[in-house]
């Protein structure tokens, strides 16, 4: 049985993330979407909010679960007994960093393998950072994130302004 983890910040989850989730859930037996609780970053959505958004959007996928983690990914993988890491590659700019991380993880734990899925062409430009940038100016983000989250993202910016 192959259990994989798809780690990321998902702040917020985008259609690009969803594309990777749907495609990888079809490849592996079990997929855990791992929401990174990174204290160094100042996220727009709390880790609990990000987990609950992901749960909502993946509820119809029987082999997908959502979990949050902090610390080293390889340690969390040991805890949940996952051996595969799923990452998305958008452009060459992603490649150098991803290669370095994948090789490091493999050296730390040789049982750990990383699988890269190339982005679907229509999402190759898309990142959570871009979504946040557009939303912060009140721009249209409806093509970039799952429809039920559009208003939640705008609302978050309104709360931040108060
Ligand atoms: P972002 O880079 O959007 O802030 P994360 O840090 O949450 O997102 O990224 C988690 C993983 O999802 C990374 O492997 C990243 O390359 C991948 N990913 C993010 N956006 C896309 C996309 N549009 N297409 C394919 N993979 C993506």
């Amino acid at each position: 049985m192959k259990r994989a983890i798809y780690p990321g910040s998902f702040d917020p989850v985008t259609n690009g993330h969803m594309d990777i989730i749907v495609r990888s859930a079809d490849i592996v037996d079990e997929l855990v979407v791992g929401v990174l609780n990174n204290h160094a970053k100042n996220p727009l959505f709390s880790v609990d909010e990000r987990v609950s958004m992901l749960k909502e959007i993946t509820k119809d996928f029987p082999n997908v679960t959502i979990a949050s983690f902090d610390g080293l990914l390889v340690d969390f993988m040991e805890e949940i007994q996952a051996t595969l890491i799923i990452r998305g590659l958008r452009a060459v700019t992603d490649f150098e960093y991803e290669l370095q991380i994948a090789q490091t993880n493999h050296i730390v734990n040789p049982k750990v393998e990383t699988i890269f899925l190339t982005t679907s062409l229509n999402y190759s430009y898309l990142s959570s950072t871009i979504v946040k940038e557009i939303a912060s100016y009140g721009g249209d983000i409806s093509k970039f994130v799952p429809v039920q989250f559009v208003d939640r993202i705008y609302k978050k910016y309104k709360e931040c302004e108060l």
Side-chain angles (χ1 to χ4, degrees):
M1 212 254 325
K2 286 285 175 202
R3 180 175 294 145
I5 181 159
Y6 175 37
S9 304
F10 307 103
D11 183 40
V13 59
T14 68
N15 292 337
H17 294 132
M18 268 317 286
D19 177 55
I20 299 288
I21 292 172
V22 172
R23 288 161 60 201
S24 49
D26 213 31
I27 298 172
V28 302
D29 298 311
E30 273 183 33
L31 180 71
V32 178
V33 180
V35 181
L36 181 61
N37 191 5
N38 187 343
H39 301 287
K41 281 190 182 174
N42 190 10
L44 181 64
F45 288 95
S46 71
V47 72
D48 290 344
E49 288 172 321
R50 283 177 274 149
V51 166
S52 99
M53 285 159 104
L54 279 158
K55 279 189 176 159
E56 201 175 316
I57 198 75
T58 58
K59 65 178 184 322
D60 295 329
F61 295 84
N63 65 337
V64 177
T65 53
I66 316 296
S68 64
F69 72 102
D70 49 22
L72 281 182
L73 177 61
V74 283
D75 290 343
F76 181 61
M77 290 177 72
E78 190 119 20
E79 207 179 290
I80 62 168
Q81 297 187 333
T83 50
L84 295 174
I85 303 172
I86 306 281
R87 296 289 286 175
L89 280 183
R90 281 164 291 197
V92 275
T93 42
D94 278 342
F95 183 77
E96 203 173 328
Y97 173 75
E98 292 292 343
L99 184 68
Q100 207 178 1
I101 299 283
Q103 287 172 335
T104 309
N105 284 332
H106 188 69
I107 286 168
V108 175
N109 182 349
K111 278 190 255 155
V112 166
E113 294 289 356
T114 304
I115 296 181
F116 294 106
L117 294 186
T118 50
T119 179
S120 296
L121 266 182
N122 32 346
Y123 301 129
S124 58
Y125 61 88
L126 189 54
S127 70
S128 298
T129 309
I130 295 270
V131 168
K132 285 186 277 194
E133 178 90 8
I134 298 172
S136 71
Y137 293 109
D140 183 5
I141 54 168
S142 59
K143 290 196 179 73
F144 309 140
V145 297
V147 64
Q148 60 267 56
F149 301 143
V150 171
D151 286 341
R152 234 177 281 182
I153 296 167
Y154 290 135
K155 193 165 160 251
K156 202 52 153 175
Y157 275 104
K158 291 237 166 68
E159 283 166 16
C160 293
E161 281 168 12
L162 294 176

